[in-house]
Amino acid sequence: MLLVYYLRNFIRPFLFLLGLLITGSSGYMILEGWNFVDSIYMTAITISTVGFGEVHPLSPTGRLFTIVLLMGGVGFYGIVINTLIRNFI
């Protein structure tokens, strides 16, 4: 029973990250017309807050999408930190 609780708490952040990756890469492919590799790369550097730079120039809609995606990435780190602290305390 306790194992199920811990697994559920660690699977939730993983699923959130997977959702961000799928949403981000799909958004860039649809909004900007990028290929999958460029889209997933831009999503990864955005949600990791690396700030390496844009793969290609972004349209105004793409910039707004990137802002929302970035907030999702920061939220992801909050969820992970919350989960880790809650399980260690």
Side-chain angles (χ1 to χ4, degrees), residues 11-88:
I11 288 174
R12 191 172 299 149
F14 174 76
L15 291 176
F16 187 76
L17 176 62
L18 185 63
L20 278 175
L21 288 171
I22 291 170
T23 302
S25 58
S26 299
Y28 285 122
M29 287 191 296
I30 293 167
L31 294 173
E32 299 295 328
W34 295 354
N35 63 37
F36 176 74
V37 174
D38 287 345
S39 297
I40 198 80
Y41 178 72
M42 182 67 176
T43 301
I45 64 174
T46 300
I47 64 175
S48 65
T49 67
V50 170
F52 185 67
E54 298 171 356
V55 177
H56 303 288
L58 289 169
S59 67
T61 305
R63 288 180 185 205
L64 291 174
F65 178 75
T66 301
I67 291 169
V68 172
L69 188 61
L70 181 59
M71 287 189 283
V74 171
F76 164 73
Y77 291 114
I79 290 170
V80 169
I81 290 169
N82 182 27
T83 300
L84 290 175
I85 289 173
R86 191 174 29 177
N87 285 307
F88 286 125

